[in-house]
Amino acid sequence: SFSLFALEQLSFERVTLQFGGRLENNHYRPTDPSLPKRDLTGFSGSVGTRFALWNGGAFVANYSHASRLPDLEEFYNNGPHDDTQSFEVGDPNLKVEKSDGIDISLRHQKGRFNAEATFFYYNIRNFVFLEPTDIIDEDTGLPFAFFVQGDSRFIGTELSLDVRTTKWLDVFAGMDYVNAELRDGTPLPRIPPLRGRFGLDAHYKNLSVRPEFIAVADQDRVFTNETR
């Protein structure tokens, strides 16, 4: 694996501009002669801006074009995986993922009150995902799952709030949601549902106690052979 990256930032009175780029190359050389060798190169670039709106407040917008090279497991896996509870089968002929996306945020970070609202949209070509099936491997009893690709899009939002009520107590809350599907409208597998959280952060010197309540909705947008 070899990569080069560069980052540049320009700061003005109320506006900050950022530019970045990364060039990456991966070589895969399996010792098994039946598996193909792969040489992959991808370029990723982004541009972003931050506008100061008020004391502690800012509007942030970013555009990115990214290339993600499939990893070792996605190419060559052929066996049981306890974490996914499936018998994973890779595809050594996978192509490079390419995405174009925007995300915009409104932030306030000042004193006792921190809040952020973010919206994002990503169009991803050749998105790699693990496709579940109802075919069972006789030796392990696990269902087969195959690494496949498809054009997709992701839309989502994230909200967060942190308030310092006293010197020793913070109150925080948050919410996140993502809607992800293939171009034909089929929901993608393993996508988290709507989630919300609320908690307290009680702290004194180096001691912190942080109870948190998390609520998760049903995920009714499921892929073929995927359960809620």
Side-chain angles (χ1 to χ4, degrees):
S1 179
F2 178 79
S3 64
L4 296 170
F5 66 91
L7 176 66
E8 179 67 26
Q9 177 172 298
L10 303 176
S11 298
F12 304 96
E13 183 177 358
R14 299 180 64 88
V15 178
T16 301
L17 300 176
Q18 287 185 333
F19 310 89
R22 176 183 175 92
L23 183 66
E24 181 178 7
N25 178 265
N26 283 353
H27 292 257
Y28 294 97
R29 296 290 183 267
T31 56
D32 185 344
S34 67
L35 297 176
K37 300 177 182 179
R38 295 299 307 270
D39 293 327
L40 300 172
T41 301
F43 172 78
S44 300
S46 65
V47 57
T49 183
R50 180 185 184 276
F51 296 92
L53 300 178
W54 60 81
N55 187 16
F59 173 78
V60 180
N62 295 285
Y63 164 78
S64 64
H65 170 81
S67 298
R68 190 187 76 84
L69 311 185
D71 59 32
L72 189 69
E73 291 78 12
E74 294 167 339
F75 276 140
Y76 302 118
N77 262 14
N78 187 29
H81 190 174
D82 291 338
D83 287 345
T84 61
Q85 286 294 290
S86 59
F87 191 102
E88 294 184 359
V89 180
D91 182 354
N93 298 309
L94 293 174
K95 301 176 182 178
V96 176
E97 276 187 11
K98 295 184 178 181
S99 67
D100 293 280
I102 59 170
D103 60 83
I104 56 177
S105 300
L106 186 63
R107 302 172 181 172
H108 178 84
Q109 297 174 330
K110 183 70 174 180
R112 298 169 54 187
F113 181 78
N114 293 322
E116 182 171 354
T118 300
F119 169 83
F120 60 86
Y121 174 89
Y122 286 92
N123 176 46
I124 307 177
R125 298 176 297 282
N126 300 322
F127 178 70
V128 178
F129 62 96
L130 194 60
E131 180 182 35
T133 73
D134 57 1
I135 306 172
I136 304 299
D137 174 60
E138 294 182 357
D139 294 332
T140 64
L142 296 174
F144 279 97
F146 297 88
F147 282 104
V148 297
Q149 290 186 298
D151 294 341
S152 64
R153 67 107 180 99
F154 286 65
I155 300 175
T157 185
E158 298 177 1
L159 306 173
S160 65
L161 174 66
D162 193 321
V163 180
R164 171 157 292 186
T165 58
T166 71
K167 182 179 179 179
W168 301 281
L169 182 66
D170 290 4
V171 177
F172 61 90
M175 186 274 287
D176 62 86
Y177 175 72
V178 59
N179 181 298
E181 63 184 25
L182 295 170
R183 280 300 172 186
D184 63 4
T186 302
L188 283 166
R190 306 184 67 81
I191 300 300
L194 174 68
R195 299 181 293 188
R197 60 188 179 90
F198 174 82
L200 304 174
D201 184 2
H203 47 83
Y204 178 73
K205 294 185 177 180
N206 293 326
L207 174 66
S208 176
V209 179
R210 192 180 174 94
E212 184 174 2
F213 172 78
I214 302 175
V216 184
D218 284 340
Q219 177 58 285
D220 53 6
R221 292 175 49 80
V222 294
F223 191 77
T224 305
N225 297 314
E226 187 182 33
T227 64
R228 295 165 65 89

